[in-house]
Amino acid sequence: MAYRDLREFLDLLESENQLVRIKEEVMPEPDLSAIGRSAPDVENAPAVLVENIKGYKTPVVLNVHGSWQNHALMLNMPKDTPVKEQFFELEKIWDRYPIKPVWVDKKEAPVKEVVIEDDINLFDVLPLFRINEFDAGFYLSKALIVSKDPNKPESYDEQNAGTYRIQVKGKDKVGIQPLPFHDIAVHLNHAEEKNEPLPIAICLGNDPVLSFMASTPIEYAQSEYDFAGALKGEPIELTKSENGNLDIPARSEIVLEGYIMPREREIEGPFGEFPGSYSGARLQPVVKITKITHRQNPVFENLYLGMPWTEIDYLMALNTSLPLYKQLKRDFPEVEAVNAMYTHGIGTIVSTKSRFGGYGKAVAMRLLSTPHGIPYTKIVIIVDEFVDPFNLEQVMWALTTRVRPDKDVFKVPYAPGMPLDPSSEPAGMHTKLIIDATTPVAPDFARDTELLGVPEKANEWLETIRNLVKEGGNK
């Protein structure tokens, strides 16, 4: 792979004219969020490295994943590779899973170059800013958070490296949002059953493939690190956290170590979220930061969330589509492709060949029963195998020429939903909508209503069996 970490990826982007540098002094607010909002709207949407922020000494990089060009370079493809080709290249390298990590001694890991143990103050280390105007505070929106199941502390595969929003609440305290369907929520439940703190590591400024996998809905017992190695074609470098025995990226820019305090909740939010609206404020767990490690002259990476499309839409596009595709194709081999690029799969388009009548509806129901489809997917559109689900003109053609509203559109009421979707009511519940835009196919079996007859000699054998029962079962 052409890069090993965020710094080397930024060098690669710059060599491909996919990174720009802002050298003049900017204000943390509103300039940084405005830059993050604007970058995806620029032609080819480059990453932006802001080198001089008033009041801070650490530079900020935004929009690292915020274009299909950057996305292609992350996958070691030419930057102008079309989206559909990126999807199928991702499928190919996905199947290299697992490629196990290599371990770097803590003394050699770049992220351990500076260790802060006393007088922890996040405001001294991080160039913090509100991502959207009415956020409740400063948020870390692109962190990779590592946790382990306290009931299985030695299980590498059940360790989680996921992305969850982090609100800075004080110099050594942050809030975290682990929704019930998130893997970290399982770990936290097990810790709180014992009234024990849950060690976590909040890793900032990561290899872009790690950020990609941390926001990918893989299975509970699959390793994000092993998938990242598969996508890169080489092992990820890991090292151990200072506390908690966690496996963390050796080449992260900054790592905040601490623990979720058991059975403590504080108001967290509101926060501008990926559906393009503010979430509410809810009681969420609290994290005590006990140690910070970072590289010399670290780079702080954050992610702007707003009305589509922004960086988060590129980041969570194919990494949502591909797992859903793999899960569907395992059960329905006729499935050709899955486009779940819209709002993290709240809207999903599937192309499939229909094996028999009603097949498209069966595919849709299976999608809604996948681990990601259960809470996220609200609107499912099923199209024929010759319709490109990534081409919205073709999808609209299928909707306008194949859908019979009385037969092909139906709802699933009172289903699980994504609470951050403002249309869920109550929050976390949805009515799902399925639109079958496939060409009608004849039923697999012709209808036959002829009744079955009684086999010859059935009455004779009935009497014989009755007599055997009376005689103790011997003939």
Side-chain angles (χ1 to χ4, degrees), residues 445-461:
F445 300 100
R447 180 176 295 169
D448 189 346
T449 56
E450 183 177 351
L451 299 178
L452 299 176
V454 178
E456 186 180 353
K457 300 178 67 175
N459 290 333
E460 295 178 28
W461 278 108

Side-chain angles (χ1 to χ4, degrees), residues 241-257:
S241 62
E242 297 294 300
N243 300 310
N245 192 37
L246 301 173
D247 304 316
I248 62 173
R251 306 183 72 87
S252 293
E253 292 291 320
I254 304 165
V255 173
L256 315 178
E257 294 190 19

